[in-house]
Amino acid sequence: MEATEQLMCQPSDSFNPLITTSFQVSCILVISHIFHLVLKPLGQPGPFAQLLAGVVLGPSLLSRIQRVKDFFIQASAAKYYQFFSFVCRMLFMFSIGLETDVPYLRRNIRVVSIVAGGGSILACLFGGPFFWLLIKVFNVTKERFAFYLLTLTVLANSASPIVIRMIAETKFDTADLGRMAIYSSLVNEMSCVTIVSTLKAFSSFGRFGGAILITLVTVAVIFVNKYLSYFFNKRNRNNRFVSNKEIFVIMFLLTCLALYAEWVGYTAIFCCFLVGLMFPREGKTARTLLHKLTYSVNTFILPVYFGYTGFQLDISNIFNKLTLALTVLMILVSAGTRIVGTLAACHYLMIPWNESVILSLLLCLKGNYDLILINTNPNPNMVWAADLHDFLLTVVVLNTLIIGPVAAILLNREESSAQYPTILEILNPESELRILACVYVPRHVSGHVSLISALGGCPTAPIKPYMVHLVELPKKRKSKLMYHQLEDGDQYSDEEEYGGNDVLEINDALDAFISETKILVHQSKIVASFLTINEDVCNGAEDLRVCIIFLPFHKHQRIDGKMENSMEEIRAINQKVLRHAPCSVGIFVDRGQTGFQQPHGSQCVQNIAILFFGGPDDREALACSKRILMHSKVNLTVIRFLHKTIASRSSNSWINDASQKDEEVIMAISNIGTENEIDNAFVETFYNRYVAQGRAGFVEKYVSSGQETVAVLREIADSYSLFIVGKGGRGTCPLTSGMSDWEECPELGLVGDLLASSELDISGSILVIQRHRHSEAEGGFLDD
């Protein structure tokens, strides 16, 4: 490449290389932003716009102008570009490791590995003949083994940073398809790094010793970070975040490790990823790192890194017929083998055809580790020939520029038609349950984490909880200090200042919960007007693809046991969310110390009652109990209320085949005509699967009116620490007739309102569940 020759051979620089590098970064950000504004309506994500910005700024277009070329492409500027790329790689690989969903990866490592390996193995099989073709064309006589590894990497590697950003910008990072693509690309790329580094290590004794030292240093940094995280968390007990100095210590260790790995002759991306992956997730240190890195990586580091990737492309180098034919052939071989291999792996795993095609295209994207090998000299005394270097670079960049837009179009089409479970009734009890818990003040946290603890008590039934702190946006703000007047650790966005000391107390409560239960709760905060904050909650639930939203009740229990109205705005928000939620909703009435407590770490067993009257909401409440009864510290009893005229169903007529499958049950329910028959089938299935096996209790209560129902509720008022009941949806029910006379909170339903009132004076907490109302949710947000 002519540009490369001038880059490496120009004796003097016309401009300060630091100025040219900084100006190049600025131009990439500006041009990519312009492209993004144009391409976003067409469904194209940020990475494509950033790559395109680099191509436009590079020697393919603007840098063909001599003055622009002399300014950007200078001899010493190459070192600045390389160092800046190294810093970018170090930070975003550490950030990727820090954000990795380890429980998901552990559960699905077999599936992810098969998807990742399917295309790579086929690419390696075709890489052998293609390697011999390239060495003949480009006359490669030295370092053939290194060139063979380079060729296989270009064919088999997937660029995980590009895949991650494409998935995130299309809002597929919470879907099963998106997570499968992300972790398949990660496993693929890290496997390529490991294999290539291992083969290099065994090629010479010096390299092998260096690999051992890098491994030992990486392990040492991981252990030191665990100690530092614990120490910093303890030291900053009364602060929201750890200080900048403490973050600098962690970054200094990471930089030293990365520099040592690069100095020995290996890439540092695997070391940085591993350090982030093993970093402790709980506490203020991890929260501060995520807060500082996520924004900078996504809005600055990765865009510049992708832009510089496109900047290296010089399209003029493929204008001769032979190079053009080889470029097209290698792109076809790389993409074809990846697509065919991935489709075969997906067919073996019985992944749907439409998802398989998207996975295969996403795993074709390149531009990370393969570029590192292309720009790395095979040995200190040799560099790759300019034509060979340019050819491989062109293949990598063009491959991503061609396949990326196609994958984005299919992703957008899939996103518009994608469906996810919005009710617990149809969710497999052993599949992942996604929960969004909303809190306003610290006292709401204890009740919600108790529910999360109860629902996450079984390792075979994974749970992914999110907790969002809802903060009212004040109308007026006080004047703020200037940046240099802020104390260390306070240099954060304005949004971080909202919430006051509540933020610190909520963080501390969650940190203690995570440390005790090892259940990772993902935190976020919404700052908005209480008039419209329900829209943010519903939109967030839809983006996160949660199955149920937990809301706090607007009253709290005083010391004397009476319920006091704390925030009337919460009641209005709850009512709006109930009307427009994209999933099921639960309102939790917390009774404090006398109510439901966290099962994890508890010495006593919590008694929970499910009150079943019939209807879709009660079936949703019963479906929720399937998760709760798996906890070893929970004793669950289903209390079914029946009219006295109905014959008892508690005899052997209910005890059928306890091994009946969920799929058969769902098919049976869908073919039943009346609501009553659906209730009977659902309860019967629950009885066969859980009650008959001794995992839950079952009691039938026969009543004829709402008055008798109230009498039964009074009898059991002090027997349970938690009552779970459906909100309504029962139509005209004689079992609750007359109970609406003292209705105070209609958002709880007749039974929930009675349980939460002072009429019964119960000591247990109450969870009222409403099944997803499809018609209301699809109607959009109306003026409330």
Side-chain angles (χ1 to χ4, degrees), residues 151-197:
T151 305
L152 293 186
T153 302
V154 171
L155 291 174
N157 184 62
S158 298
S160 56
I162 296 180
V163 175
I164 290 172
R165 287 312 306 156
M166 285 193 66
I167 294 294
E169 294 200 15
T170 52
K171 296 185 178 180
F172 254 90
D173 51 336
T174 55
D176 290 336
L177 171 62
R179 291 194 290 176
M180 180 73 68
I182 287 173
Y183 294 113
S184 295
S185 65
L186 267 176
V187 169
N188 177 273
E189 187 159 52
M190 294 304 108
S191 299
C192 289
V193 174
T194 304
I195 293 172
V196 172
S197 299

Short mmCIF file of all heavy atoms in Angstrom, two decimals, residues 151-197:
data_model
loop_
_atom_site.label_atom_id
_atom_site.label_comp_id
_atom_site.label_asym_id
_atom_site.label_seq_id
_atom_site.Cartn_x
_atom_site.Cartn_y
_atom_site.Cartn_z
N THR A 151 -4.19 -16.67 8.04
CA THR A 151 -5.24 -16.97 7.07
C THR A 151 -6.44 -17.64 7.74
O THR A 151 -7.59 -17.27 7.50
CB THR A 151 -4.70 -17.89 5.96
OG1 THR A 151 -3.55 -17.28 5.36
CG2 THR A 151 -5.75 -18.16 4.91
N LEU A 152 -6.18 -18.61 8.60
CA LEU A 152 -7.27 -19.29 9.30
C LEU A 152 -8.03 -18.33 10.22
O LEU A 152 -9.26 -18.43 10.35
CB LEU A 152 -6.73 -20.47 10.11
CG LEU A 152 -6.16 -21.65 9.31
CD1 LEU A 152 -5.80 -22.80 10.25
CD2 LEU A 152 -7.15 -22.13 8.26
N THR A 153 -7.31 -17.42 10.85
CA THR A 153 -7.98 -16.47 11.73
C THR A 153 -8.89 -15.53 10.95
O THR A 153 -10.02 -15.26 11.38
CB THR A 153 -6.93 -15.64 12.51
OG1 THR A 153 -6.09 -16.53 13.25
CG2 THR A 153 -7.61 -14.69 13.47
N VAL A 154 -8.42 -15.06 9.81
CA VAL A 154 -9.26 -14.18 8.98
C VAL A 154 -10.51 -14.92 8.53
O VAL A 154 -11.61 -14.35 8.49
CB VAL A 154 -8.46 -13.67 7.77
CG1 VAL A 154 -9.38 -12.94 6.80
CG2 VAL A 154 -7.35 -12.74 8.23
N LEU A 155 -10.40 -16.20 8.23
CA LEU A 155 -11.55 -16.97 7.78
C LEU A 155 -12.49 -17.35 8.92
O LEU A 155 -13.71 -17.35 8.75
CB LEU A 155 -11.07 -18.25 7.06
CG LEU A 155 -10.36 -18.08 5.71
CD1 LEU A 155 -9.84 -19.41 5.22
CD2 LEU A 155 -11.29 -17.46 4.68
N ALA A 156 -11.95 -17.68 10.08
CA ALA A 156 -12.76 -18.28 11.14
C ALA A 156 -13.17 -17.32 12.24
O ALA A 156 -14.11 -17.63 13.01
CB ALA A 156 -11.98 -19.45 11.76
N ASN A 157 -12.52 -16.17 12.35
CA ASN A 157 -12.77 -15.30 13.49
C ASN A 157 -14.05 -14.48 13.33
O ASN A 157 -14.47 -14.15 12.23
CB ASN A 157 -11.59 -14.34 13.68
CG ASN A 157 -11.74 -13.47 14.91
OD1 ASN A 157 -11.80 -13.96 16.03
ND2 ASN A 157 -11.83 -12.17 14.70
N SER A 158 -14.69 -14.17 14.48
CA SER A 158 -15.82 -13.24 14.53
C SER A 158 -15.44 -12.08 15.44
O SER A 158 -14.88 -12.30 16.51
CB SER A 158 -17.07 -13.93 15.08
OG SER A 158 -17.47 -15.00 14.25
N ALA A 159 -15.76 -10.87 15.01
CA ALA A 159 -15.41 -9.67 15.79
C ALA A 159 -16.48 -9.43 16.85
O ALA A 159 -17.55 -8.88 16.56
CB ALA A 159 -15.26 -8.47 14.88
N SER A 160 -16.20 -9.83 18.08
CA SER A 160 -17.20 -9.71 19.15
C SER A 160 -17.60 -8.27 19.44
O SER A 160 -18.79 -8.01 19.69
CB SER A 160 -16.68 -10.39 20.42
OG SER A 160 -15.43 -9.87 20.82
N PRO A 161 -16.69 -7.26 19.42
CA PRO A 161 -17.15 -5.89 19.70
C PRO A 161 -18.18 -5.39 18.69
O PRO A 161 -19.15 -4.72 19.06
CB PRO A 161 -15.86 -5.06 19.62
CG PRO A 161 -14.76 -6.03 19.90
CD PRO A 161 -15.22 -7.31 19.31
N ILE A 162 -18.00 -5.71 17.41
CA ILE A 162 -18.96 -5.27 16.40
C ILE A 162 -20.30 -5.97 16.59
O ILE A 162 -21.36 -5.35 16.51
CB ILE A 162 -18.41 -5.53 14.98
CG1 ILE A 162 -17.15 -4.69 14.75
CG2 ILE A 162 -19.45 -5.21 13.92
CD1 ILE A 162 -16.52 -4.88 13.38
N VAL A 163 -20.27 -7.26 16.87
CA VAL A 163 -21.50 -8.01 17.11
C VAL A 163 -22.24 -7.45 18.33
O VAL A 163 -23.46 -7.25 18.30
CB VAL A 163 -21.20 -9.51 17.30
CG1 VAL A 163 -22.46 -10.27 17.67
CG2 VAL A 163 -20.59 -10.10 16.04
N ILE A 164 -21.50 -7.18 19.38
CA ILE A 164 -22.12 -6.67 20.62
C ILE A 164 -22.80 -5.33 20.37
O ILE A 164 -23.93 -5.09 20.81
CB ILE A 164 -21.06 -6.57 21.73
CG1 ILE A 164 -20.64 -7.97 22.18
CG2 ILE A 164 -21.60 -5.78 22.92
CD1 ILE A 164 -19.46 -7.97 23.13
N ARG A 165 -22.12 -4.42 19.67
CA ARG A 165 -22.72 -3.10 19.44
C ARG A 165 -23.92 -3.19 18.49
O ARG A 165 -24.90 -2.48 18.66
CB ARG A 165 -21.68 -2.14 18.84
CG ARG A 165 -20.64 -1.67 19.82
CD ARG A 165 -21.25 -1.18 21.12
NE ARG A 165 -22.26 -0.16 20.92
CZ ARG A 165 -23.23 0.10 21.77
NH1 ARG A 165 -23.34 -0.61 22.89
NH2 ARG A 165 -24.10 1.05 21.53
N MET A 166 -23.86 -4.04 17.49
CA MET A 166 -25.00 -4.19 16.59
C MET A 166 -26.21 -4.75 17.33
O MET A 166 -27.34 -4.29 17.16
CB MET A 166 -24.63 -5.10 15.41
CG MET A 166 -23.75 -4.46 14.38
SD MET A 166 -23.65 -5.41 12.85
CE MET A 166 -25.33 -5.26 12.25
N ILE A 167 -25.97 -5.72 18.18
CA ILE A 167 -27.07 -6.31 18.96
C ILE A 167 -27.64 -5.28 19.94
O ILE A 167 -28.86 -5.16 20.10
CB ILE A 167 -26.59 -7.56 19.71
CG1 ILE A 167 -26.22 -8.67 18.73
CG2 ILE A 167 -27.64 -8.04 20.69
CD1 ILE A 167 -27.37 -9.21 17.94
N ALA A 168 -26.76 -4.53 20.59
CA ALA A 168 -27.22 -3.55 21.58
C ALA A 168 -28.03 -2.43 20.92
O ALA A 168 -29.06 -2.01 21.46
CB ALA A 168 -26.02 -2.97 22.33
N GLU A 169 -27.59 -1.94 19.77
CA GLU A 169 -28.28 -0.82 19.13
C GLU A 169 -29.61 -1.23 18.50
O GLU A 169 -30.47 -0.39 18.28
CB GLU A 169 -27.37 -0.17 18.09
CG GLU A 169 -26.16 0.51 18.72
CD GLU A 169 -25.53 1.54 17.81
OE1 GLU A 169 -26.19 1.94 16.82
OE2 GLU A 169 -24.40 1.95 18.09
N THR A 170 -29.78 -2.51 18.20
CA THR A 170 -31.07 -2.98 17.71
C THR A 170 -31.95 -3.51 18.85
O THR A 170 -33.01 -4.09 18.60
CB THR A 170 -30.87 -4.10 16.67
OG1 THR A 170 -30.00 -5.12 17.21
CG2 THR A 170 -30.26 -3.55 15.41
N LYS A 171 -31.49 -3.31 20.11
CA LYS A 171 -32.24 -3.69 21.31
C LYS A 171 -32.54 -5.19 21.36
O LYS A 171 -33.59 -5.62 21.82
CB LYS A 171 -33.54 -2.89 21.42
CG LYS A 171 -33.32 -1.40 21.59
CD LYS A 171 -34.61 -0.66 21.80
CE LYS A 171 -34.35 0.83 22.01
NZ LYS A 171 -35.59 1.61 22.23
N PHE A 172 -31.56 -5.97 20.89
CA PHE A 172 -31.69 -7.42 20.95
C PHE A 172 -30.81 -8.02 22.04
O PHE A 172 -30.73 -9.25 22.15
CB PHE A 172 -31.32 -8.04 19.59
CG PHE A 172 -32.50 -8.53 18.81
CD1 PHE A 172 -33.14 -7.69 17.92
CD2 PHE A 172 -32.98 -9.81 18.96
CE1 PHE A 172 -34.23 -8.12 17.20
CE2 PHE A 172 -34.08 -10.26 18.26
CZ PHE A 172 -34.70 -9.41 17.36
N ASP A 173 -30.14 -7.17 22.82
CA ASP A 173 -29.21 -7.70 23.82
C ASP A 173 -29.92 -8.38 24.98
O ASP A 173 -29.27 -9.09 25.76
CB ASP A 173 -28.31 -6.58 24.35
CG ASP A 173 -29.09 -5.37 24.81
OD1 ASP A 173 -30.23 -5.18 24.34
OD2 ASP A 173 -28.57 -4.61 25.64
N THR A 174 -31.23 -8.20 25.13
CA THR A 174 -31.97 -8.90 26.17
C THR A 174 -32.75 -10.10 25.63
O THR A 174 -33.37 -10.83 26.40
CB THR A 174 -32.96 -7.95 26.87
OG1 THR A 174 -33.83 -7.36 25.89
CG2 THR A 174 -32.21 -6.85 27.60
N ALA A 175 -32.75 -10.28 24.31
CA ALA A 175 -33.44 -11.42 23.69
C ALA A 175 -32.51 -12.62 23.64
O ALA A 175 -31.28 -12.49 23.64
CB ALA A 175 -33.92 -11.05 22.29
N ASP A 176 -33.09 -13.81 23.58
CA ASP A 176 -32.29 -15.03 23.51
C ASP A 176 -31.43 -15.06 22.25
O ASP A 176 -30.27 -15.49 22.29
CB ASP A 176 -33.20 -16.26 23.55
CG ASP A 176 -33.85 -16.46 24.91
OD1 ASP A 176 -33.28 -15.96 25.90
OD2 ASP A 176 -34.92 -17.09 24.98
N LEU A 177 -31.97 -14.58 21.13
CA LEU A 177 -31.20 -14.55 19.89
C LEU A 177 -30.00 -13.62 20.01
O LEU A 177 -28.88 -13.97 19.61
CB LEU A 177 -32.10 -14.08 18.74
CG LEU A 177 -31.41 -13.79 17.41
CD1 LEU A 177 -30.75 -15.05 16.87
CD2 LEU A 177 -32.40 -13.24 16.39
N GLY A 178 -30.20 -12.43 20.59
CA GLY A 178 -29.10 -11.49 20.76
C GLY A 178 -28.02 -12.01 21.68
O GLY A 178 -26.82 -11.89 21.39
N ARG A 179 -28.43 -12.56 22.81
CA ARG A 179 -27.43 -13.09 23.74
C ARG A 179 -26.69 -14.28 23.15
O ARG A 179 -25.48 -14.45 23.39
CB ARG A 179 -28.11 -13.47 25.06
CG ARG A 179 -28.61 -12.25 25.83
CD ARG A 179 -28.96 -12.60 27.25
NE ARG A 179 -30.16 -13.42 27.34
CZ ARG A 179 -30.64 -13.92 28.47
NH1 ARG A 179 -29.99 -13.73 29.60
NH2 ARG A 179 -31.74 -14.64 28.48
N MET A 180 -27.39 -15.11 22.37
CA MET A 180 -26.72 -16.22 21.72
C MET A 180 -25.66 -15.72 20.75
O MET A 180 -24.53 -16.24 20.69
CB MET A 180 -27.76 -17.07 20.97
CG MET A 180 -27.19 -18.27 20.25
SD MET A 180 -26.69 -19.56 21.39
CE MET A 180 -28.30 -20.06 22.01
N ALA A 181 -25.98 -14.67 19.98
CA ALA A 181 -25.02 -14.11 19.04
C ALA A 181 -23.83 -13.49 19.76
O ALA A 181 -22.67 -13.68 19.35
CB ALA A 181 -25.71 -13.07 18.15
N ILE A 182 -24.09 -12.75 20.83
CA ILE A 182 -23.02 -12.09 21.57
C ILE A 182 -22.04 -13.10 22.12
O ILE A 182 -20.81 -12.99 21.92
CB ILE A 182 -23.61 -11.23 22.70
CG1 ILE A 182 -24.29 -9.98 22.13
CG2 ILE A 182 -22.53 -10.82 23.71
CD1 ILE A 182 -25.04 -9.17 23.16
N TYR A 183 -22.54 -14.11 22.81
CA TYR A 183 -21.63 -15.03 23.49
C TYR A 183 -21.04 -16.06 22.53
O TYR A 183 -19.95 -16.58 22.78
CB TYR A 183 -22.35 -15.69 24.66
CG TYR A 183 -22.68 -14.67 25.73
CD1 TYR A 183 -24.00 -14.33 26.02
CD2 TYR A 183 -21.68 -13.99 26.39
CE1 TYR A 183 -24.30 -13.36 26.97
CE2 TYR A 183 -21.96 -13.02 27.34
CZ TYR A 183 -23.27 -12.71 27.61
OH TYR A 183 -23.57 -11.74 28.54
N SER A 184 -21.71 -16.32 21.41
CA SER A 184 -21.08 -17.16 20.38
C SER A 184 -19.89 -16.45 19.77
O SER A 184 -18.84 -17.06 19.54
CB SER A 184 -22.11 -17.51 19.30
OG SER A 184 -23.15 -18.31 19.82
N SER A 185 -20.04 -15.14 19.49
CA SER A 185 -18.92 -14.38 18.93
C SER A 185 -17.78 -14.26 19.94
O SER A 185 -16.60 -14.33 19.57
CB SER A 185 -19.38 -13.00 18.49
OG SER A 185 -19.82 -12.22 19.58
N LEU A 186 -18.13 -14.08 21.22
CA LEU A 186 -17.09 -14.01 22.25
C LEU A 186 -16.33 -15.32 22.38
O LEU A 186 -15.09 -15.34 22.43
CB LEU A 186 -17.73 -13.65 23.61
CG LEU A 186 -17.79 -12.17 23.98
CD1 LEU A 186 -18.52 -11.99 25.30
CD2 LEU A 186 -16.40 -11.57 24.06
N VAL A 187 -17.06 -16.43 22.43
CA VAL A 187 -16.41 -17.74 22.52
C VAL A 187 -15.56 -17.99 21.29
O VAL A 187 -14.43 -18.50 21.38
CB VAL A 187 -17.47 -18.84 22.70
CG1 VAL A 187 -16.85 -20.23 22.53
CG2 VAL A 187 -18.12 -18.75 24.07
N ASN A 188 -16.06 -17.60 20.12
CA ASN A 188 -15.31 -17.79 18.89
C ASN A 188 -14.02 -16.99 18.91
O ASN A 188 -12.93 -17.53 18.62
CB ASN A 188 -16.19 -17.39 17.71
CG ASN A 188 -15.46 -17.47 16.38
OD1 ASN A 188 -14.80 -16.54 15.95
ND2 ASN A 188 -15.58 -18.61 15.73
N GLU A 189 -14.11 -15.71 19.25
CA GLU A 189 -12.92 -14.86 19.21
C GLU A 189 -11.91 -15.25 20.28
O GLU A 189 -10.70 -15.31 20.02
CB GLU A 189 -13.31 -13.39 19.36
CG GLU A 189 -12.15 -12.45 19.15
CD GLU A 189 -12.61 -11.06 18.80
OE1 GLU A 189 -13.45 -10.51 19.54
OE2 GLU A 189 -12.12 -10.51 17.80
N MET A 190 -12.38 -15.52 21.49
CA MET A 190 -11.45 -15.91 22.55
C MET A 190 -10.81 -17.27 22.25
O MET A 190 -9.65 -17.51 22.62
CB MET A 190 -12.17 -15.95 23.89
CG MET A 190 -12.66 -14.58 24.39
SD MET A 190 -11.36 -13.34 24.51
CE MET A 190 -11.78 -12.27 23.14
N SER A 191 -11.55 -18.15 21.56
CA SER A 191 -10.97 -19.43 21.17
C SER A 191 -9.88 -19.23 20.14
O SER A 191 -8.82 -19.89 20.20
CB SER A 191 -12.07 -20.35 20.61
OG SER A 191 -13.06 -20.61 21.58
N CYS A 192 -10.13 -18.33 19.17
CA CYS A 192 -9.09 -18.03 18.18
C CYS A 192 -7.84 -17.47 18.84
O CYS A 192 -6.71 -17.86 18.50
CB CYS A 192 -9.63 -17.05 17.14
SG CYS A 192 -10.85 -17.74 16.00
N VAL A 193 -8.03 -16.54 19.78
CA VAL A 193 -6.88 -15.96 20.48
C VAL A 193 -6.12 -17.04 21.24
O VAL A 193 -4.87 -17.10 21.19
CB VAL A 193 -7.35 -14.86 21.46
CG1 VAL A 193 -6.18 -14.36 22.30
CG2 VAL A 193 -7.97 -13.70 20.70
N THR A 194 -6.84 -17.90 21.93
CA THR A 194 -6.19 -18.95 22.73
C THR A 194 -5.43 -19.93 21.86
O THR A 194 -4.28 -20.30 22.16
CB THR A 194 -7.25 -19.70 23.56
OG1 THR A 194 -7.96 -18.76 24.37
CG2 THR A 194 -6.60 -20.74 24.46
N ILE A 195 -6.06 -20.37 20.77
CA ILE A 195 -5.41 -21.36 19.89
C ILE A 195 -4.17 -20.78 19.24
O ILE A 195 -3.09 -21.40 19.23
CB ILE A 195 -6.42 -21.86 18.84
CG1 ILE A 195 -7.53 -22.67 19.51
CG2 ILE A 195 -5.71 -22.70 17.78
CD1 ILE A 195 -8.66 -23.04 18.58
N VAL A 196 -4.29 -19.58 18.68
CA VAL A 196 -3.14 -18.96 18.02
C VAL A 196 -2.01 -18.69 19.02
O VAL A 196 -0.84 -18.96 18.74
CB VAL A 196 -3.57 -17.66 17.32
CG1 VAL A 196 -2.35 -16.90 16.80
CG2 VAL A 196 -4.53 -17.96 16.18
N SER A 197 -2.37 -18.18 20.20
CA SER A 197 -1.34 -17.90 21.21
C SER A 197 -0.68 -19.18 21.69
O SER A 197 0.54 -19.21 21.92
CB SER A 197 -1.97 -17.16 22.40
OG SER A 197 -2.53 -15.94 21.99
#
